[in-house]
């Protein structure tokens, strides 16, 4: 078979048993190439993760390694795995991925938000493009004189390609770097994103100009009539006008037909849109620009943030960016031969190109930012961020190579420049610019007890409430409203939406959506636009109820570092309590007082780990809300805000210890609310059965994994002092709220009585919410529950008992952990091993054992 004649290549082989080598056939070879590329790029991404490098770096490096620079030095491998005849096939498949990826970039680039971002971002973007562009022209002259064969191309196209290559900022790559560095929602991040969006649009215009000038490139490039370039540009402009004037209203009509008022998105519309992307690509290729322009412009015509755009992103994104796009980067790497850069002169040129690109972009952005009165450190960080290259840069270089404007050596130099500038962005920004975290914060109340002990009249209760999705909102508002003291203290509620940073670019882009109401962050969820407006209205109405200030904020982070964001905001905003939604919620299914069936919503184990880490590292008290419909009635109640005229029955369980005292403190705040009825149930050890004088001995586990055993404090505890504090807290609570709060006591003599008593309160008493301490400093009663089967260790023994599924409990549960303030901080998983009488000393190798109460 003649391997050089592409017409002789067959698609599929007859199999190895019939003597065919699958590597001589197009499709099996494409599969092998794809697998090899994906495995290598994923492995490199894993290696580069500790350096916080974007995935694009791994993909470019992977391509270079697979190509003639590294593995390709073995000619047998290169001819077998990446033969010359397979290149057009691999590039065709990769180009489909690229076409749809650029469609997604257009879909996520909101022109309206660019217009809104104002003079500052525009000025910075203009400086960041023009200076490197003119620097690129200077570099182009040097390259033409130095590199063999570079002067065979016409001046015009070579100069424009070099200028574009040096002046581009990669919008999608920058978004990921900002999110990784937790700068996305800072002022620097917002300015960088707006300037990069301007830059992106300018880059496309310049690239269209470059391609129009290049024509077919090569030696014949300079002989081509200049009129051809003019026709190409005019046709391109006509295409853009047609798309904006004719196609855009059509896509708006389609988006309206696929809105939430209609039950389902018609598959025909999705299919037609995908065909539209391909047709647009074909038309721009026909004009003589490049097919990717068609995809990008078509993406711009689709209305942003609606259900239709959401569904398109869901359908395309994973397949395109996960599978097809790495093939494009790899094909770029396969064309890059670092060996072409040989000799001191060539490496000197590489250094010149890198330093010119970096200096032009960083200095221009820095000076422009200083002109707009941005502080020096932030301005420098902005310059470094704008120096990010990546996807669009590679597209420019590939088109330049395709059109024969860039030869192998210039191409290799520019690919390494793009790689280097993107690689240094993260470490340099981290070194230069660290947003103020920690430092000297004013004295603040870290637990509710501190707040009530302070006599300041206008003291403000600050709560940070975290939200995963729309389902958390009614219960969150109702809980916050329940804690709103109507007398002498105001309430400030910080609502933090937790957005998981995934490899999908759209998880970041959602944060950039219109920030009009402060809640752009929920757009990924089902029925987003419909309930986002309702929720904004609910919070707005809620803040107008008086003495409640609502401040929305967001955290875009990987689940591994989400707790850092939550704890930082809590520290920064001097919050007294963090409210976390439990990772599992239950909704009553069907009617009746007692739900026969529960529908479980589980947001995943990753969010459970976030909760565990917040509980461990929090700078203040933490409450975990297990929602079983708390606030559902309030959500349906008409009126200016939640809980207006809706009575709430809340029960506080008291066993003893700091966490229970904090729960009691919260109960006192709730008792102030006119429509909340609070009941306090104190559990006491029965003296008749000898439980009052008994000790439970707890032994620390050797394993530090606490998922299967409850964790208790390792600090030695003065039991007598704890009992005095408990009695004093209860006495103070009763004297203050005796008229409005119902107080009960239950005597228990064994573990079964404790379990039955707790369960009965959750099932039969009709409480909307049960408040309980986590019990890190356990009373003898709570310690008896230590050897029960554990489902959710982070909730403590009593909280876990009430939060377990399938027990018929209908009340929502709030588990409270008091801030330790230095004491009772260290915890360890423990195992109950014995019970002793009053006269025996408990085993206390770690101080985690319990004495008698």
């Amino acid at each position: 078979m003649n391997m050089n004649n592409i017409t002789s290549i067959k698609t599929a082989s007859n199999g190895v048993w019939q003597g065919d080598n699958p590597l001589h056939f197009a499709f099996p070879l494409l599969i092998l190439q794809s697998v090899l590329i994906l495995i290598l790029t994923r492995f490199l991404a894993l290696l580069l993760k500790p350096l916080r490098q974007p995935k694009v770096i791994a993909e470019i490096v992977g391509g270079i390694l697979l190509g003639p620079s590294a593995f390709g030095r073995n000619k047998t491998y290169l001819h077998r795995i990446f033969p010359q005849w397979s290149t057009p096939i691999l590039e065709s498949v990769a180009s489909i991925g690229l076409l749809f990826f650029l469609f997604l970039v257009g879909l996520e680039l909101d022109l309206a938000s660019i217009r809104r971002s104002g003079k500052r971002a525009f000025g910075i973007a203009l400086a960041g493009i023009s200076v490197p562009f003119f620097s690129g022209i200077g570099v182009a002259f040097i390259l033409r004189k130095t590199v063999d064969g570079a002067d065979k191309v016409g001046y015009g196209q070579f100069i424009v390609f070099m200028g574009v290559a040096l002046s581009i900022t990669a919008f999608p790559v920058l978004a990921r770097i900002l999110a990784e560095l937790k700068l996305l929602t800072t002022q620097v991040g917002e300015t960088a994103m707006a300037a990069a969006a301007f830059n992106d649009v300018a880059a496309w215009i310049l690239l269209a100009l470059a391609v129009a000038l290049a024509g077919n490139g090569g030696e014949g490039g300079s002989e081509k009539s200049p009129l051809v370039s003019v026709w190409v540009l005019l046709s391109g402009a006509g295409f853009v006008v047609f798309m904006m004037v004719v196609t855009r209203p059509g896509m708006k009509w389609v988006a309206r037909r696929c809105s939430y008022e209609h039950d389902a998105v018609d598959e025909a519309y999705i299919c037609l849109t995908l065909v539209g992307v391909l047709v647009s690509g074909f038309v721009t290729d026909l004009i003589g620009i490049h097919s990717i322009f068609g995809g990008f412009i078509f993406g711009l015509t689709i209305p942003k943030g609606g259900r239709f755009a959401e569904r398109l992103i869901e359908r395309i994104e994973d397949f395109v960016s996960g599978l097809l796009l790495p093939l494009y980067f790899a094909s770029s790497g396969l064309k890059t031969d670092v060996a072409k850069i040989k000799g001191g002169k060539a490496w000197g040129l590489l250094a010149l190109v890198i330093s010119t690109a970096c200096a032009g972009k960083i200095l221009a952005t820095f000076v422009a930012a200083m002109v707009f009165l941005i502080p020096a450190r932030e301005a420098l960080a902005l310059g470094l961020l704008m120096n990010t290259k990546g996807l669009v840069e590679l597209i420019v270089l590939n088109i330049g190579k395709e059109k024969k404007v860039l030869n192998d050596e210039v191409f290799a130099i520019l690919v390494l420049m793009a790689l280097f500038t993107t690689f240094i962005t993260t470490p340099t920004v981290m070194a230069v610019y660290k947003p103020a975290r920690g430092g000297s914060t004013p004295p603040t109340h870290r637990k509710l007890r501190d707040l009530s002990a302070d006599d300041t009249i206008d003291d403000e209760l600050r709560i940070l409430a975290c939200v995963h999705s729309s389902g958390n909102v009614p219960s969150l508002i109702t809980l916050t409203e329940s804690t709103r003291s109507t007398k002498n203290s105001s309430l400030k509620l910080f609502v933090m939406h937790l957005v998981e940073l995934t490899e999908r670019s759209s998880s970041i882009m959602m944060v950039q959506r219109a920030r009009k109401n402060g809640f752009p962050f929920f757009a990924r969820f089902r029925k987003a636009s419909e309930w986002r407006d309702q929720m904004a209205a609910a919070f707005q109405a809620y803040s107008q109820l008086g003495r409640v200030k609502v401040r929305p904020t967001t955290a875009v982070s990987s689940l591994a570092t989400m707790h850092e964001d939550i704890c930082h905001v809590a520290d920064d905003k001097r919050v007294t309590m963090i409210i976390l939604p439990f990772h599992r919620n239950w909704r009553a299914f069907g009617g009746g007082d007692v739900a026969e069936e529960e529908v479980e919503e589980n947001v995943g184990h990753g969010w459970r780990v976030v909760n565990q880490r917040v509980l461990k590292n929090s700078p203040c008290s933490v409450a975990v809300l297990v929602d079983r419909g708390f606030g559902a009635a309030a959500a349906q109640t008409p009126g200016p805000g939640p809980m207006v005229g809706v009575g709430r029955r809340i029960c506080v369980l008291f066993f003893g210890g700091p966490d229970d005292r904090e729960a009691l403190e919260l109960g006192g705040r709730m008792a102030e609310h006119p429509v909340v009825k609070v009941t306090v149930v104190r559990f006491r050890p029965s003296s008749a059965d000898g439980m009052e004088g008994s000790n439970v001995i707890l032994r620390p586990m050797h394993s530090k994994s606490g998922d299967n055993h409850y964790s208790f404090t390792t600090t030695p505890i003065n039991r007598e002092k704890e009992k005095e504090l408990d009695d004093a807290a209860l006495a103070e609570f009763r004297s203050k709220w005796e008229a409005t709060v119902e107080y009960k006591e239950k005597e228990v003599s064994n573990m079964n009585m404790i379990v039955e008593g707790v369960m009965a309160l959750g099932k039969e008493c009709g409480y909307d919410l049960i408040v309980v301490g986590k019990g890190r400093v356990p009373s003898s009663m709570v310690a008896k529950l230590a050897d029960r089967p554990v489902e959710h260790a982070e909730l403590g023994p009593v909280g876990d008992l009430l939060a377990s599924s399938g027990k018929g409990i209908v009340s929502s549960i709030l588990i409270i952990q008091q801030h330790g303030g230095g004491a009772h901080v260290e915890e360890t998983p423990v195992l109950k091993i014995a019970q002793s009488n009053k006269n025996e000393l408990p085993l206390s190798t770690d101080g985690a054992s319990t004495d008698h109460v």
Side-chain angles (χ1 to χ4, degrees):
M1 188 189 296
N2 180 10
M3 289 290 116
N4 297 316
N5 183 3
I6 198 156
T7 54
S8 67
I9 304 301
K10 290 181 181 173
T11 306
S13 74
N14 293 319
V16 74
W17 298 114
Q18 294 188 44
D20 280 354
N21 182 347
L23 299 185
H24 292 164
F25 295 85
F27 191 56
L29 185 62
L30 179 65
I31 292 172
L32 182 67
Q33 289 171 341
S34 305
V35 169
L36 198 61
I37 289 164
L38 291 173
I39 288 172
L40 183 64
T41 52
R42 281 284 154 184
F43 176 68
L44 288 170
L46 207 65
L47 287 182
L48 291 169
K49 207 170 184 183
L51 299 173
R52 301 174 90 167
Q53 292 297 330
K55 201 171 62 144
V56 64
I57 293 278
E59 286 162 348
I60 299 170
V61 172
I64 291 172
L65 289 178
L66 287 169
S69 307
F71 300 162
R73 286 174 179 271
N74 180 334
K75 296 300 174 196
T76 314
Y77 150 85
L78 198 62
H79 293 317
R80 284 272 169 84
I81 308 297
F82 293 101
Q84 198 71 42
W85 60 263
S86 73
T87 309
I89 300 165
L90 180 66
E91 286 187 3
S92 296
V93 174
S95 296
I96 292 175
L98 186 67
L99 179 64
F100 280 103
F101 183 78
L102 267 296
F103 167 67
L104 287 176
V105 171
L107 186 61
E108 289 168 348
L109 192 66
D110 192 353
L111 292 173
S113 70
I114 293 175
R115 281 200 299 271
R116 278 201 302 273
S117 52
K119 290 178 187 170
R120 176 190 281 190
F122 180 71
I124 290 168
L126 189 66
I129 290 171
S130 51
V131 174
F133 187 84
F134 291 115
S135 310
I137 291 173
V139 170
F141 279 108
I142 296 167
L143 284 174
R144 279 178 72 84
K145 295 222 167 18
T146 318
V147 177
D148 292 336
D151 55 353
K152 289 180 181 174
V153 186
Y155 258 123
Q157 50 261 52
F158 189 65
I159 284 172
V160 174
F161 262 101
M162 285 300 299
V164 173
L166 265 64
S167 61
I168 276 172
T169 296
F171 182 69
V173 180
L174 177 67
R176 173 147 305 282
I177 288 173
L178 286 170
E180 284 283 348
L181 295 176
K182 302 190 186 304
L183 297 177
L184 198 57
T185 52
T186 62
Q187 192 188 356
V188 169
E190 285 180 28
T191 310
M193 285 295 276
F198 273 123
N199 202 315
D200 227 25
V201 173
W204 289 113
I205 295 165
L206 288 171
L207 183 53
L209 178 70
V211 175
L213 284 170
N216 63 345
E219 287 80 358
S222 52
E223 295 162 22
K224 184 178 54 120
S225 162
L227 274 176
V228 174
S229 297
V230 176
W231 282 119
V232 170
L233 281 173
L234 286 174
S235 307
F239 172 76
V240 172
V241 170
F242 175 83
M243 293 299 277
M244 291 300 162
V245 173
V246 179
T247 313
R248 199 173 188 184
M251 294 318 295
K252 276 186 180 171
W253 178 82
V254 169
R256 276 199 302 275
R257 290 295 302 269
C258 299
S259 64
Y260 294 110
E261 284 73 40
H262 299 81
D263 289 338
V265 173
D266 194 335
E267 291 302 310
Y269 293 127
I270 298 276
C271 188
L272 278 172
T273 307
L274 299 185
V275 170
V277 176
L278 296 170
V279 170
S280 302
F282 176 76
V283 171
T284 43
D285 198 78
L286 193 71
I287 289 168
I289 309 179
H290 196 281
S291 55
I292 55 170
F293 282 98
F296 178 71
I297 300 296
F298 192 67
L300 290 177
T301 65
I302 291 172
K304 310 292 180 271
R307 189 186 189 187
F308 184 60
E310 214 174 293
R311 189 59 60 88
L312 280 170
I313 290 170
E314 277 173 17
R315 293 288 169 88
I316 306 170
E317 190 169 31
D318 291 332
F319 183 70
V320 167
S321 55
L323 180 68
L324 298 180
L325 208 57
L327 301 185
Y328 183 79
F329 288 117
S331 69
S332 300
L334 287 165
K335 285 186 263 181
T336 308
D337 190 356
V338 178
K340 291 272 192 253
I341 309 171
K342 50 177 180 274
K345 196 189 280 185
W347 287 101
L349 283 176
L350 175 63
L352 172 74
V353 169
I354 288 173
S355 51
T356 308
C358 293
K361 182 68 94 172
I362 294 167
L363 289 174
T365 309
F366 177 74
V367 171
M370 292 291 281
V371 168
F372 284 107
L373 305 177
I374 292 174
R377 185 174 282 193
E378 290 186 17
L380 185 56
L382 208 52
L384 291 166
L385 286 164
M386 296 299 285
N387 195 34
T388 308
K389 301 283 189 279
L391 176 87
V392 186
E393 173 80 4
L394 277 186
I395 294 168
V396 172
L397 300 182
N398 274 303
I399 293 172
K401 194 164 191 310
E402 208 177 282
K403 304 279 184 192
K404 299 189 176 64
V405 174
L406 307 176
N407 68 12
D408 288 350
E409 190 175 340
V410 175
F411 181 76
I413 286 172
L414 293 176
V415 167
L416 290 183
M417 180 270 290
L419 200 58
F420 180 79
T421 51
T422 308
F423 190 87
I424 61 164
T425 300
T426 307
T428 50
V429 172
M430 283 173 76
V432 168
Y433 181 70
K434 286 175 184 159
R437 291 215 163 189
S440 57
T441 52
T444 185
H445 302 300
R446 292 310 192 185
K447 49 183 186 274
L448 294 170
R449 188 82 192 139
D450 293 346
L451 205 61
S452 61
D454 197 321
D455 294 329
T456 313
I457 299 296
D458 290 325
D459 219 357
E460 189 175 53
L461 171 60
R462 290 163 166 255
I463 292 176
L464 172 64
C466 300
V467 182
H468 297 151
S469 68
S470 57
N472 307 137
V473 176
S475 53
L476 164 65
I477 293 184
T478 307
L479 176 61
T480 313
E481 171 63 15
S482 304
T483 59
R484 184 173 69 92
S485 165
T486 53
K487 293 182 183 170
N488 62 352
S489 74
S490 58
L491 182 108
K492 194 167 203 174
L493 174 65
F494 297 93
V495 183
M496 181 182 238
H497 183 239
L498 309 178
V499 179
E500 182 186 358
L501 172 64
T502 64
E503 287 190 352
R504 301 176 69 160
S505 59
S506 51
S507 66
I508 299 165
M509 301 305 167
M510 288 302 167
V511 183
Q512 293 308 117
R513 292 283 179 258
R515 294 175 170 221
K516 284 182 291 188
N517 54 22
F519 292 98
F521 325 115
F522 302 97
R524 275 207 80 81
F525 298 100
R526 214 173 124 265
K527 298 207 167 181
S529 53
E530 181 184 295
W531 70 257
R532 187 171 59 208
D533 297 338
Q534 290 175 358
M535 194 181 67
F539 275 114
Q540 198 175 2
Y542 180 46
S543 61
Q544 287 167 359
L545 282 171
R547 305 195 69 134
V548 181
K549 298 170 194 159
V550 180
R551 297 284 181 273
T553 177
T554 190
V556 182
S557 183
S558 62
L559 292 185
T561 58
M562 185 72 78
H563 66 283
E564 292 173 12
D565 288 36
I566 297 168
C567 294
H568 165 64
V569 170
D571 206 26
D572 189 45
K573 305 294 184 190
R574 308 195 311 281
V575 164
T576 307
M577 179 177 277
I578 298 171
I579 300 173
L580 299 169
F582 192 49
H583 69 286
R584 295 167 73 186
N585 290 321
W586 291 271
R587 299 278 179 269
F589 190 68
D593 293 328
V594 178
E596 291 298 322
E597 193 181 341
E598 291 175 332
V599 177
E600 183 186 331
E601 296 171 5
N602 192 333
V603 292
H605 181 74
W607 291 105
R608 179 188 180 188
V609 175
V610 171
N611 285 3
Q612 288 170 340
R613 286 174 176 160
V614 173
L615 284 161
K616 191 176 178 185
N617 301 298
S618 168
C620 60
S621 292
V622 183
V624 179
L625 178 63
V626 181
D627 184 21
R628 288 194 175 96
F630 186 57
Q636 295 157 12
T637 307
M643 276 199 62
V644 178
V646 180
R648 292 273 161 218
R649 294 191 64 209
I650 292 172
C651 178
V652 181
L653 306 189
F654 190 89
F655 289 88
D659 294 344
D660 283 37
R661 292 196 291 273
E662 189 79 343
L664 194 68
E665 194 64 45
L666 186 67
R669 285 191 157 268
M670 290 174 164
E672 285 188 48
H673 203 287
V675 299
V676 175
K677 174 69 177 165
V678 176
T679 303
V680 175
V681 180
R682 183 183 191 183
F683 285 79
R684 299 187 73 113
S686 170
S687 52
D689 294 87
M691 187 175 174
E692 191 176 2
S694 67
N695 286 328
V696 175
I697 300 172
L698 300 170
R699 173 170 288 172
M701 300 286 296
H702 295 297
S703 162
K704 283 288 173 191
S705 168
D707 275 3
N708 299 321
H709 294 275
Y710 299 115
S711 294
F712 296 132
T713 181
T714 58
T715 313
I717 302 149
N718 184 333
R719 282 287 154 201
E720 289 301 321
K721 189 182 175 188
E722 284 294 319
K723 189 171 187 306
E724 283 171 24
L725 288 169
D726 289 344
D727 290 342
L730 274 166
E732 184 190 337
F733 181 87
R734 291 184 71 180
S735 67
K736 207 170 178 182
W737 306 113
E738 199 153 18
T740 54
V741 171
E742 187 182 350
Y743 179 80
K744 298 177 181 176
E745 288 196 357
K746 277 183 183 282
E747 283 206 348
V748 288
S749 57
N750 55 44
M751 187 179 84
N752 289 338
M753 281 188 74
I754 300 169
V755 172
E756 284 166 17
V758 169
M759 298 292 278
L761 290 166
K763 285 180 186 176
E764 297 151 20
C765 298
Y767 292 116
D768 297 295
L769 180 71
I770 296 176
V771 184
V772 62
K774 183 183 171 187
R776 289 170 306 157
V777 181
S779 63
S780 59
M781 294 170 288
V782 172
K784 282 181 182 299
L785 302 172
D787 59 352
R788 281 190 69 258
V790 175
E791 198 172 345
H792 308 107
E794 68 272 21
L795 302 181
V798 182
D800 186 21
L801 188 64
L802 286 163
S804 299
S805 54
K807 302 278 176 66
I809 293 172
V810 292
S811 308
S812 295
I813 317 297
L814 189 71
I815 297 96
I816 294 185
Q817 172 184 291
Q818 188 187 59
H819 179 56
H824 310 324
V825 172
E826 285 298 317
E827 295 175 46
T828 188
V830 296
L831 187 66
K832 174 181 153 187
I833 58 162
Q835 185 170 316
S836 64
N837 64 33
K838 190 172 184 175
N839 300 318
E840 288 176 335
L841 284 170
L843 185 69
S844 57
T845 52
D846 68 321
S849 53
T850 59
D851 292 289
H852 64 275
V853 177

